[in-house]
């Protein structure tokens, strides 16, 4: 058994009973579309939020779970009809519906645990 740093190592929960450990390299997000093994199942990531995100993201094929494990963040949601915001503080979480564009503002140092259905994820500048 081995322990891992959740910021530099992600977990892939595939369509079966296996759990895959995924080392996060500098090019991880730039090359994620080519990682077809991650397009099914769920990707579990952790991140620190100490500045506002510079992108919006959207997961068209599945909901996303965002758990604030420390601190608080303000999430902005755009479902195509309206834009709303919600402040989420540890130990709260939100379920981001599939097809909802979202971004985050830092409200001080925060840590997030995110569980994503990764296939088809899209990004746009903020």
């Amino acid at each position: 058994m081995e322990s891992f740093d959740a910021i530099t190592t992600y977990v892939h929960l595939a369509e079966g009973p296996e759990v895959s450990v995924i080392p996060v390299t500098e090019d991880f997000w730039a090359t994620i579309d080519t990682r077809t093994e991650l397009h099914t199942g769920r990707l579990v990531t952790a991140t620190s939020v100490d500045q506002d995100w510079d992108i919006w993201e959207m997961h068209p094929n599945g909901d996303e779970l965002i758990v604030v494990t420390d601190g608080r963040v303000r999430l902005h949601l755009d479902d195509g009809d309206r834009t709303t915001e919600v402040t989420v503080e540890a130990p709260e979480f939100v379920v981001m519906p599939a097809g909802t564009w979202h971004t985050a503002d830092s409200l001080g140092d925060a840590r997030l645990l995110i569980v994503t259905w990764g296939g088809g994820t899209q990004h746009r500048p903020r």
Side-chain angles (χ1 to χ4, degrees), residues 56 58 76-84 99-102 124:
W56 289 82
M58 188 265 290
H76 299 270
L77 296 71
D78 178 357
D79 67 5
D81 294 326
R82 63 189 164 106
T83 301
T84 58
T100 302
W101 285 95
H102 54 283
R124 69 180 191 205

Side-chain angles (χ1 to χ4, degrees), residues 8 27 34 40 48-49 81 101 110 118 121:
T8 60
D27 66 342
T34 65
T40 61
S48 294
V49 179
D81 294 326
W101 285 95
T121 297

Side-chain angles (χ1 to χ4, degrees), residues 45-125:
T45 64
T47 188
S48 294
V49 179
D50 59 3
Q51 59 186 343
D52 297 350
W53 290 0
D54 61 357
I55 62 163
W56 289 82
E57 70 174 18
M58 188 265 290
H59 310 285
N61 299 323
D63 296 343
E64 179 177 62
L65 173 66
I66 302 174
V67 181
V68 179
T69 59
D70 189 44
R72 64 188 185 124
V73 295
R74 180 172 298 116
L75 299 173
H76 299 270
L77 296 71
D78 178 357
D79 67 5
D81 294 326
R82 63 189 164 106
T83 301
T84 58
E85 62 183 48
V86 60
T87 299
V88 187
E89 185 169 348
E92 298 173 335
F93 68 90
V94 297
V95 176
M96 192 67 58
T100 302
W101 285 95
H102 54 283
T103 191
D105 288 342
S106 171
L107 299 175
D109 291 339
R111 283 179 153 312
L112 307 179
L113 178 72
I114 303 170
V115 182
T116 303
W117 184 266
T121 297
Q122 299 174 28
H123 296 94
R124 69 180 191 205

